[in-house]
Amino acid sequence: IPQGVEALEASLNKERMAQAVEMFEKLDKNKDGKITDKEVPPEQFKKKVWIQANINGDMILTWEEELIWQYNYQKKKAGKNK
């Protein structure tokens, strides 16, 4: 996994990056760079995809955590296409 936000952003293809930005901007209502249970229903953090993305389990999804999830998803999807 690339280290740091810039490296993660650079590792994503355009489609995956666009999806990440769109989702994050939509849900990060106060634009502080993280999504909390005050911005989405707390039940969101119980969904499998959110559990996987929220690496440290603190119910705060950071941009870096989102990028790591997107990177892993992109890598998994690429493996299936081989």
Side-chain angles (χ1 to χ4, degrees):
I1 295 176
Q3 298 298 303
V5 170
E6 288 181 13
L8 285 161
E9 289 174 341
S11 72
L12 297 178
N13 65 39
K14 287 181 183 180
E15 179 185 343
R16 182 101 336 250
M17 186 64 185
Q19 289 173 348
V21 168
E22 180 182 355
M23 187 280 304
F24 209 86
E25 286 181 350
K26 180 176 147 186
L27 297 178
D28 183 17
K29 297 190 183 356
N30 65 2
K31 308 301 180 213
D32 65 351
K34 53 191 174 206
I35 300 168
T36 68
D37 60 350
K38 291 177 177 49
E39 295 167 300
V40 298
E43 299 82 45
Q44 281 290 111
F45 286 92
K46 294 178 183 173
K47 293 182 178 180
K48 182 180 177 183
V49 68
W50 283 77
I51 292 168
Q52 292 171 342
N54 185 222
I55 296 167
N56 62 4
D58 64 357
M59 293 185 68
I60 298 170
L61 185 66
T62 65
W63 178 236
E64 186 169 15
E65 286 175 319
E66 173 64 17
L67 291 172
I68 291 169
W69 186 88
Q70 293 287 350
Y71 173 83
N72 287 329
Y73 182 83
Q74 177 179 280
K75 191 173 172 185
K76 181 180 174 182
K77 193 172 177 182
K80 286 183 179 179
N81 292 336
K82 288 183 178 180

